[in-house]
Amino acid sequence: MTTQDLIQIILFITVLIGLTPILGNYMYKVFTGNKHFILPVFGWLEKLTYKFSGINPDEETNWKSYTFGLLMFNLIGFVFVFLIQLFQAYLPMNPANLSNVSWHSAFNTAVSFMTNTNWQGYAGETTLSYFVQMIGLTVQNFVSAATGIAVLLALIRGISRKTTEGLGNFWTDITRSTLYVLLPLSILLAIVLVGQGVVQNFKTYETVQTLQGAQQVIPMGPAASQIVIKQMGTNGGGFFNSNSSHPFENPTPLSNFLQMVAILLIPVALTYTYGKMVDSTRQGWTVFTAMLILFIAGLIISLYDEYSANSIFGHLHLMEGKETRFGITNSILWSAATTSASNGSVNAMHDSLSPIAGMMAMINIMLGEIIFGGVGAGLYGMVIFIIITVFIAGLMVGRTPEYLGKKIETFEVQMAIIAVLAPNLVIQILSAWASVSSYGLSSLNNAGPHGFSEILYAYSSAAGNNGSAFAGLNANSVFYNLTLGFGMLIGRFGVIIPVLAIAGNMNKKKITPLSAGTFRTDNWLFIGLLIAVILTVGGLTHFPALSLGPLMDHLLMNYGITF
Amino acid sequence: MSTKQNTSLFNRNILLLAVKDSVIKLNPVLLIKNPVIFIVAIGSLLTTIVVFAGIFQGNLSSFNLQIAIWLWFTVLFANFSEAIAEGRGKAQADNLRKNRTQTIARKIVGKQEVPVIATELRKGDKVLCKAGEAIPSDGEVIEGIASVDESAITGESAPVIRESGGDRSAVTGGTKVISDWILINIIAEPGNTFIDRMIALVEGAKRHKTPNEIALSILLSGLSIIFLLVVVTLPAYFGYSLKASGLPMSQNLTIPILIALLVCLIPTTIGALLSAIGISGMDRLIQRNVIATSGRAIEAAGDVDVLLLDKTGTITLGNRMATDFIPAEGVTIEELAHEAQLSSLSDETPEGRSIVILAKEKFKIRGREVLRLNATFIPFTAQSRMSGVDYKTNDGIIHHVRKGSSEAIRTFIQNNNGFYPQEIQNIVSGLARQGATPLVVAEDKKVLGVIHLKDIVKGGIKQRFSELRKMGIKTVMITGDNPLTAAAIAAEAGVDDFMAEATPEDKLRRIREEQANGHLVGMIGDGTNDAPALAQADIGIAMNSGTQAAREAGNMVDLDSNPTKLIEVVGVGKQLLMTRGSLTTFSIANDVAKYFAIIPAIAISLYSGTNGIGPLSVLNIMHLGSPQSAILSAVIFNAIIIILLVPLALKGVRYRPVSATVSLTRNLLVFGLGGILAPFIGIKLIDIIINL
């Protein structure tokens, strides 16, 4: 590793820390209905949206109505994306004349984009028309991210309000987050990326003659507009199959850097918004710090292992499956960011990372996508862990546990357990099924522990709504499309519904004022405790599987055995 | 009293009974109440079936047998911990039962006295109790006054006065009238008397899980489900790995090994000790002579962050004391002391006595001259608001010495055509500002000076309050005094806030306000007019000497009637919650070491070369003897740790009044870090012993 690599990592983290309060404060203004500078630009659009759809933006609903609205909205999104794939051949904007998508792949893709997972069992350029990509997927990229923010906002209101029913208005929340946060940021980044050389057109695929004289088809399309939101909305679904390693998606070092920042930008900034909304920026920074420590720890371990001498190839860094334009550091940094943030876009194949770096990517996902995590989703997932931490450790100060003055009681614990259990259920049960069934095993590209890692990674990715793949696994089969599809559904709504239930229940409670007897949740001790609980729960759950997968892979590699 | 008896932690009888009970508790109906231990029991059963199946097939696996035995021990140890906690309560209940007397009561029907068996008395019956008789049931004195021996429930042998009306009207069944007689209105149905409820409480018969206990059980069950998932899916992962290593499927994990892993991972330690912790919390309260109506109340005590404390008896000693003599101009301090003492010699009020004592201590003035003086003592009356003495000196002159409030003395002086100096008035108002009560002493038409009567703040109470403050608990002093006096005492005692000239309605209003702001309020009271406030408070402790209404309204009764008890009760509540949290942390932290024992043991053959030792053997950082001894050691450790922690569960973790952050740091170091390290050492030791 060179000094230049190190400087770039430090620069990356500094930029993130610096942008956190700026964007965080802006989002605080947006979500609390305050005046902000984009209001004059898009304010009319917001009003028009409400008028057109008959929404009273000031009407507050209880958690059940809020959840119902959210589920209906997602269901409609799913059905729409599912149908346009099934009939894409009859729909416009299909210059490559792609045929209708198979039902199971369409199901998987529709679920995938609705749940902000963006797992892609298909190859974009050879499967989906411009129409599906733009009207179906790009729209879902926006609204699935906005859904995550809406859930978070409801949770924050539940925590910070007292003795009330109203959790806010789902429709107002998604409208505002789309219009004032996702859209402006995407437009800004799209312009820069197009300047860097990302394609944005409606042309038919071009056929060119290579230097060797062979024929090559160069895919085209409205890529930039989808790529910015795939990063900003922690979606990750690439326009092209090779995702962000494709030169049309990610042409330059600058575009690479900006896209990495974009992956984590909204999740990091939301921690500040959170602090502002619960009336203590310190609480926000506490959560931020815990996340950052986990992020950096994973990054260091991955980099260390990638740069250590490889026992088979001597001192050579393994570049197979990595993009030479980006090199090791940028591949690892990207992999850490994309797995932490539940993004799933890749600029190197995770299958080709060193076993330990691959394991770190997997751990980032398995911990519950809470190291910054998906837009909104990461933070509400983190709050679940905060609730569990507060419950276990809070007792040790001699009071029944409370977080930000709200008592953590049976109902909260029950819901928090369900939220932790849901994704783990998917990972454990489905990986076990796939690793012993013929339809599971037939899709493997690699044998031994590496093959097992492919399965484990796929289901972790689905359950965590990450969407990245370990590559190697041919997931476009009925078995994988269906199991992964249901995995994504459980991983998404198995967390969202309990979180909203917690929000609704906490909303009704009183707030105990802070005193010296209060269990502090804004100091280093709590950061340490929170990290310990996250690692313990995640570690105890996945240690056996990880030791049979990537850890075994690593140990065997040291014996000179690879798969 | 029965409950005061020192029930030592491991009394022989209790131990034997607990061993017996732990077998009885194997009843599945009882076991299912504790989901974690129920899982262990099912696991034990399955393992036992595997062992017997092996025997029928002619190959007894001693490894499986040992696993099965230790799994059963885990269940028994869990039962034992609960049984021993209950056993201590049962011993206390037996003692209480001895006091429940089968007396014949004198029921009053019309004007007739009808003998009735005590247990047949209903609510509303009138009963006469004479000296030497036991009071048949709980009731309220409606006529008469008597001294009552309440040692049966309070352990205090000095008799107490019970009379109709006022705040001392409640009597408890099982106590004894020593002198005089009382007419009682029975207020408890048979089987629901105070002693009945106390027996039920200490026996734990009516024990319901408290809200926090339920929440914790859910967390533990949730963790158990996660680990069940891990264990259930493991054979599939293993099957894949066996195939990839070219090993036969017959080498896949066996049921006993999977169950051993499961039992090691699920939080058995806290699961086993949870109810013992709850029962012993109740027990600790009883040892302090406080009866809580529910476990919920003890938990709430830990959460209380505002305490309403009566001034008199809690913060100050019951009575004011003379601390100083301030003479008027032209009077020596000795003269003043002399006359003040004289006027108080037969004043039996505590204030009067304190004046005599002060005079004796400061000026060696003794009461011996009194007889020579032909003195007539004038007692205090509500009308005159003075007391004093008239005496004749040798010259035949009758001196009228009076002491009283400044207004009363001013009237007295003016009636004698004397002059009440401004200077005295200044002293009086000066003292009042300091929170003292000034008593003016006058002789005929001359003011001699002022006695400084002071509320004496209890020794060590200021320290207590500062401890409470460190723990984040706000103290509010309640007094009927005027704001000036109240402020001065509040400052001296170091309370955070005070309510002067407080009426019962004020108290109730204050509690509601605090609660509306999210606080949990604790208070202690005795009078009927305290009842609404006691009922409203989150923790209302009624003094046993108080009225029945107060005792019904509160959620705890303090048998010692000691108002300072509230502070101790808060401590017991906090300790209970701390113990629960600490042992949960310990239990979960233990799992790390168990993984390092079991995973390398079961995975040793995977991807191994010819020597049978696969790569995952690097995880065997404890260097345990063999795969089998590793698994067995983990299971044995898991069982033994329950027994080792029983004393801690019963006694509670060490509790000191410090801030939340300090106690958290300490408990985390001991139980978090200790919880990670202890099993590494324990498992290694057991492994060494097994492999000897």
Side-chain angles (χ1 to χ4, degrees):
Chain A
M1 216 169 121
T2 62
T3 321
Q4 251 185 329
D5 289 325
L6 195 64
I7 290 172
Q8 204 212 308
I9 292 170
I10 293 170
L11 184 69
F12 174 69
I13 290 168
T14 314
V15 166
L16 281 180
I17 295 175
L19 287 175
T20 297
I22 298 170
L23 182 59
N25 197 36
Y26 166 73
M27 286 194 288
Y28 166 74
K29 285 185 188 159
V30 169
F31 299 141
T32 49
N34 281 319
K35 281 208 164 73
H36 54 85
F37 73 97
I38 299 194
L39 206 56
V41 188
F42 283 135
W44 60 275
L45 201 53
E46 188 190 353
K47 287 202 191 87
L48 196 70
T49 311
Y50 296 149
K51 210 171 165 189
F52 185 71
S53 43
I55 292 163
N56 173 7
D58 299 320
E59 189 192 15
E60 297 252 327
T61 55
N62 66 15
W63 81 268
K64 283 180 185 151
S65 316
Y66 198 97
T67 312
F68 183 74
L70 182 146
L71 292 179
M72 283 305 114
F73 180 71
N74 277 272
L75 179 68
I76 292 165
F78 161 77
V79 171
F80 178 74
V81 177
F82 182 59
L83 290 180
I84 59 171
Q85 288 180 87
L86 287 186
F87 303 110
Q88 75 168 357
Y90 318 123
L91 294 167
M93 288 201 278
N94 186 2
N97 287 322
L98 297 166
S99 57
N100 292 336
V101 182
S102 72
W103 65 273
H104 51 89
S105 175
F107 164 78
N108 184 284
T109 307
V111 168
S112 172
F113 279 76
M114 170 191 68
T115 56
N116 197 253
T117 313
N118 302 34
W119 169 271
Q120 292 165 298
Y122 61 92
E125 57 271 47
T126 56
T127 317
L128 296 181
S129 69
Y130 293 165
F131 182 81
V132 173
Q133 295 250 26
M134 285 186 79
I135 307 298
L137 305 189
T138 310
V139 169
Q140 285 301 314
N141 277 351
F142 276 97
V143 295
S144 67
T147 300
I149 293 180
V151 175
L152 176 67
L153 290 176
L155 179 62
I156 299 176
R157 293 191 192 110
I159 292 172
S160 59
R161 291 177 178 181
K162 57 178 175 181
T163 52
T164 168
E165 283 280 332
L167 266 188
N169 185 323
F170 172 71
W171 308 106
T172 317
D173 287 342
I174 50 163
T175 310
R176 287 192 180 146
S177 29
T178 308
L179 279 184
Y180 300 133
V181 179
L182 298 169
L183 205 54
L185 282 173
S186 299
I187 292 172
L188 191 73
L189 186 65
I191 293 168
V192 180
L193 287 186
V194 169
Q196 289 294 308
V198 178
V199 295
Q200 176 77 6
N201 57 41
F202 292 98
K203 288 184 193 159
T204 46
Y205 297 173
E206 286 184 16
T207 310
V208 294
Q209 193 144 27
T210 64
L211 289 175
Q212 286 90 352
Q215 295 268 314
Q216 190 185 354
V217 178
I218 307 278
M220 290 287 154
S225 58
Q226 194 187 319
I227 287 160
V228 284
I229 188 61
K230 103 173 174 190
Q231 311 298 24
M232 283 290 175
T234 59
N235 291 289
F239 195 84
F240 305 114
N241 188 32
S242 53
N243 211 306
S244 295
S245 54
H246 195 289
F248 281 179
E249 284 208 17
N250 190 6
T252 65
L254 181 62
S255 74
N256 190 60
F257 185 83
L258 289 176
Q259 288 192 38
M260 282 196 294
V261 171
I263 288 172
L264 286 174
L265 183 60
I266 296 178
V268 293
L270 277 173
T271 61
Y272 189 86
T273 312
Y274 178 76
K276 284 284 271 189
M277 286 182 78
V278 301
D279 217 13
S280 158
T281 43
R282 233 181 114 90
Q283 296 285 352
W285 283 117
T286 307
V287 176
F288 176 90
T289 312
M291 290 172 165
L292 188 66
I293 290 173
L294 285 167
F295 177 77
I296 292 177
L299 183 63
I300 289 174
I301 295 172
S302 304
L303 282 171
Y304 175 81
D305 197 64
E306 280 287 339
Y307 279 106
S308 322
N310 183 289
S311 51
I312 304 168
F313 300 99
H315 286 271
L316 277 175
H317 302 144
L318 299 179
M319 287 305 293
E320 184 271 325
K322 299 186 184 95
E323 178 68 18
T324 42
R325 293 181 298 134
F326 303 128
I328 299 265
T329 301
N330 269 310
S331 300
I332 294 298
L333 189 56
W334 186 296
S335 81
T338 194
T339 52
S340 295
S342 167
N343 183 294
S345 67
V346 290
N347 73 353
M349 297 302 116
H350 289 181
D351 177 64
S352 302
L353 303 180
S354 76
I356 294 295
M359 180 166 80
M360 289 320 296
M362 223 184 290
I363 288 175
N364 283 341
I365 300 172
M366 283 173 162
L367 291 181
E369 286 296 6
I370 41 135
I371 309 172
F372 300 116
V375 170
L379 193 47
Y380 66 66
M382 190 57 141
V383 173
I384 292 294
F385 273 97
I386 291 177
I387 286 176
I388 290 177
T389 307
V390 162
F391 187 79
I392 296 173
L395 279 173
M396 279 191 282
V397 308
R399 288 241 295 239
T400 55
E402 62 199 30
Y403 178 55
L404 299 175
K406 291 287 178 82
K407 290 267 175 237
I408 306 297
E409 289 161 305
T410 309
F411 187 76
E412 286 79 20
V413 172
Q414 215 164 2
M415 291 300 126
I417 284 289
I418 292 175
V420 171
L421 201 56
N424 283 323
L425 198 80
V426 171
I427 300 175
Q428 303 278 6
I429 301 270
L430 295 182
S431 305
W433 188 11
S435 57
V436 288
S437 60
S438 56
Y439 21 88
L441 295 172
S442 59
S443 289
L444 293 184
N445 253 351
N446 298 80
H450 203 77
F452 180 63
S453 297
E454 287 173 0
I455 295 174
L456 197 58
Y457 193 102
Y459 288 106
S460 302
S461 178
N465 295 143
N466 182 287
S468 65
F470 217 45
L473 185 76
N474 170 27
N476 200 356
S477 69
V478 179
F479 175 78
Y480 278 104
N481 274 332
L482 290 184
T483 51
L484 289 167
F486 283 111
M488 290 184 266
L489 282 174
I490 297 169
R492 178 76 165 178
F493 296 104
V495 180
I496 283 183
I497 295 170
V499 164
L500 287 173
I502 288 175
N505 201 49
M506 283 182 122
N507 215 11
K508 294 181 198 141
K509 296 187 181 189
K510 291 195 280 193
I511 292 183
T512 311
L514 205 67
S515 76
T518 310
F519 173 69
R520 305 289 304 202
T521 51
D522 58 356
N523 55 17
W524 284 103
L525 187 62
F526 183 72
I527 292 173
L529 209 53
L530 180 59
I531 292 175
V533 167
I534 291 168
L535 292 181
T536 311
V537 172
L540 293 178
T541 315
H542 299 294
F543 185 70
L546 288 174
S547 61
L548 294 177
L551 190 60
M552 187 71 92
D553 203 3
H554 169 79
L555 293 168
L556 288 172
M557 184 184 79
N558 286 342
Y559 294 145
I561 306 165
T562 55
F563 297 93
Chain B
M1 124 183 215
S2 50
T3 51
K4 247 192 181 167
Q5 271 179 6
N6 186 18
T7 349
S8 74
L9 213 49
F10 293 109
N11 168 308
R12 208 181 124 83
N13 288 333
I14 296 177
L15 265 179
L16 286 173
L17 203 69
V19 170
K20 200 179 106 193
D21 277 357
S22 39
V23 180
I24 295 171
K25 280 171 185 284
L26 287 176
N27 180 349
V29 182
L30 299 174
L31 270 180
I32 204 157
K33 285 183 189 162
N34 188 338
V36 178
I37 298 305
F38 189 67
I39 293 177
V40 183
I42 291 177
S44 317
L45 196 65
L46 283 176
T47 316
T48 313
I49 292 170
V50 171
V51 170
F52 278 102
I55 292 174
F56 284 123
Q57 286 160 12
N59 52 341
L60 167 70
S61 156
S62 79
F63 172 73
N64 286 353
L65 180 65
Q66 288 180 73
I67 294 278
I69 289 171
W70 281 104
L71 290 181
W72 281 118
F73 268 122
T74 312
V75 180
L76 286 174
F77 288 167
N79 288 348
F80 176 78
S81 76
E82 191 182 77
I84 199 153
E86 286 174 349
R88 297 169 74 199
K90 275 186 189 146
Q92 289 166 340
D94 286 343
N95 281 325
L96 276 174
R97 273 202 195 88
K98 285 180 202 148
N99 291 313
R100 204 165 49 176
T101 39
Q102 279 296 336
T103 45
I104 304 292
R106 304 162 191 267
K107 184 173 161 187
I108 305 293
V109 183
K111 297 212 162 178
Q112 295 284 309
E113 232 178 65
V114 185
V116 172
I117 299 171
T119 46
E120 283 172 11
L121 287 171
R122 317 292 305 189
K123 223 176 188 169
D125 286 348
K126 310 269 181 294
V127 173
L128 182 70
C129 278
K130 292 186 178 173
E133 293 174 356
I135 293 173
S137 182
D138 295 357
E140 202 143 21
V141 180
I142 46 174
E143 211 183 311
I145 176 168
S147 58
V148 176
D149 174 9
E150 294 198 333
S151 60
I153 55 162
T154 65
E156 186 59 57
S157 55
V160 291
I161 299 294
R162 290 286 176 259
E163 59 185 324
S164 62
D167 288 348
R168 305 278 177 268
S169 62
V171 288
T172 311
T175 59
K176 227 174 197 171
V177 178
I178 303 232
S179 71
D180 306 285
W181 60 269
I182 38 176
L183 187 63
I184 301 164
N185 181 26
I186 300 297
I187 50 156
E189 294 290 351
N192 197 25
T193 65
F194 188 69
I195 286 208
D196 290 325
R197 276 184 289 162
M198 223 166 121
I199 291 172
L201 271 172
V202 296
E203 271 191 332
K206 278 197 191 156
R207 210 179 92 81
H208 295 290
K209 279 188 176 173
T210 60
N212 177 262
E213 222 176 321
I214 293 170
L216 186 54
S217 307
I218 285 179
L219 179 83
L220 298 180
S221 307
L223 288 174
S224 303
I225 294 172
I226 292 179
F227 291 130
L228 193 63
L229 262 180
V230 172
V231 171
V232 165
T233 52
L234 203 52
Y237 300 168
F238 240 75
Y240 175 94
S241 305
L242 285 171
K243 210 162 114 191
S245 336
L247 294 166
M249 277 301 148
S250 58
Q251 282 193 22
N252 209 329
L253 302 168
T254 62
I255 287 176
I257 287 182
L258 287 172
I259 289 172
L261 178 63
L262 176 66
V263 170
C264 285
L265 291 181
I266 60 176
T268 46
T269 316
I270 180 66
L273 297 172
L274 193 55
S275 54
I277 295 169
I279 297 168
S280 63
M282 185 75 86
D283 204 49
R284 276 196 295 279
L285 263 196
I286 293 168
Q287 306 222 322
R288 285 170 175 77
N289 258 355
V290 177
I291 306 291
T293 49
S294 68
R296 181 189 282 256
I298 309 179
E299 239 164 49
D303 282 352
V304 161
D305 57 356
V306 173
L307 291 184
L308 298 191
L309 301 164
D310 269 327
K311 183 198 80 175
T312 309
T314 314
I315 295 169
T316 62
L317 296 172
N319 309 300
R320 295 154 206 256
M321 308 251 275
T323 56
D324 209 359
F325 296 117
I326 307 157
E329 215 174 283
V331 182
T332 65
I333 196 161
E334 284 80 10
E335 267 178 278
L336 172 63
H338 186 268
E339 300 296 326
Q341 186 245 19
L342 210 54
S343 70
S344 309
L345 273 174
S346 72
D347 183 351
E348 279 304 312
T349 63
E351 287 88 354
R353 260 179 280 162
S354 77
I355 294 171
V356 176
I357 292 167
L358 182 71
K360 191 170 103 186
E361 281 175 353
K362 266 198 160 170
F363 305 104
K364 312 268 181 273
I365 300 169
R366 293 185 180 276
R368 56 190 138 75
E369 322 154 43
V370 178
L371 292 172
R372 288 190 283 128
L373 295 172
N374 283 327
T376 319
F377 290 100
I378 315 291
F380 178 88
T381 65
Q383 285 75 37
S384 71
R385 291 163 67 213
M386 299 184 296
S387 66
V389 63
D390 293 348
Y391 68 93
K392 210 194 274 175
T393 40
N394 294 339
D395 49 13
I397 301 169
I398 298 173
H399 300 265
H400 306 271
V401 182
R402 295 289 182 277
K403 65 174 199 293
S405 71
S406 68
E407 287 75 36
I409 296 295
R410 186 198 291 267
T411 319
F412 171 76
I413 295 277
Q414 279 160 358
N415 288 345
N416 288 343
N417 298 320
F419 169 67
Y420 189 84
Q422 183 58 40
E423 169 219 351
I424 293 296
Q425 193 52 47
N426 293 345
I427 297 173
V428 164
S429 43
L431 287 178
R433 260 198 302 279
Q434 295 169 32
T437 311
L439 268 187
V440 182
V441 184
E443 186 182 348
D444 299 320
K445 50 172 116 178
K446 188 180 168 198
V447 178
L448 298 175
V450 182
I451 305 170
H452 184 177
L453 275 185
K454 204 177 153 189
D455 259 319
I456 303 297
V457 171
K458 281 188 173 174
I461 201 84
K462 195 167 185 170
Q463 166 72 18
R464 274 252 162 96
F465 289 150
S466 92
E467 284 172 8
L468 286 174
R469 199 168 305 117
K470 267 189 233 152
M471 291 156 62
I473 298 172
K474 189 168 91 171
T475 46
V476 181
M477 180 182 86
I478 299 182
T479 171
D481 291 344
N482 65 59
L484 221 60
T485 315
I489 297 168
E492 190 181 346
V495 291
D496 297 308
D497 196 2
F498 66 88
M499 284 176 76
E501 290 166 352
T503 62
E505 294 74 41
D506 291 338
K507 281 194 211 176
L508 187 61
R509 199 176 319 118
R510 175 70 182 245
I511 293 175
R512 290 211 173 115
E513 272 170 30
E514 297 284 2
Q515 286 173 336
N517 290 330
H519 291 286
L520 265 84
V521 184
M523 74 165 278
I524 195 158
D526 55 358
T528 301
N529 54 20
D530 280 335
L534 280 173
Q536 179 70 35
D538 300 282
I539 291 295
I541 305 182
M543 293 203 230
N544 191 44
S545 62
T547 59
Q548 191 61 32
R551 283 172 26 175
E552 293 282 324
N555 40 19
M556 290 190 192
V557 176
D558 175 24
L559 300 176
D560 295 343
S561 305
N562 168 9
T564 325
K565 224 23 125 29
L566 189 49
I567 300 172
E568 285 182 45
V569 169
V570 170
V572 170
K574 286 199 177 293
Q575 193 187 24
L576 170 77
L577 294 171
M578 274 185 194
T579 310
R580 221 178 257 162
S582 301
L583 289 179
T584 306
T585 308
F586 185 84
S587 192
I588 296 170
N590 270 203
D591 282 2
V592 177
K594 292 173 192 164
Y595 260 141
F596 278 97
I598 296 180
I599 295 290
I602 57 179
I604 190 159
S605 62
L606 295 179
Y607 301 102
S608 60
T610 43
N611 62 356
I613 295 170
L616 279 185
S617 59
V618 295
L619 292 177
N620 185 8
I621 52 175
M622 283 180 274
H623 297 288
L624 301 177
S626 69
Q628 294 197 332
S629 76
I631 296 168
L632 202 53
S633 305
V635 173
I636 294 175
F637 176 84
N638 195 52
I640 287 180
I641 196 73
I642 295 174
I643 284 294
L644 292 182
L645 288 175
V646 167
L648 185 69
L650 295 186
K651 268 195 293 188
V653 301
R654 197 163 62 142
Y655 160 75
R656 274 179 309 177
V658 284
S659 77
T661 310
V662 176
S663 56
L664 177 65
T665 314
R666 184 189 166 273
N667 287 331
L668 268 182
L669 277 179
V670 176
F671 296 98
L673 203 60
I676 293 176
L677 297 179
F680 276 105
I681 301 165
I683 291 173
K684 178 70 190 168
L685 281 177
I686 295 170
D687 184 71
I688 291 172
I689 296 168
I690 291 178
N691 286 307
L692 274 181

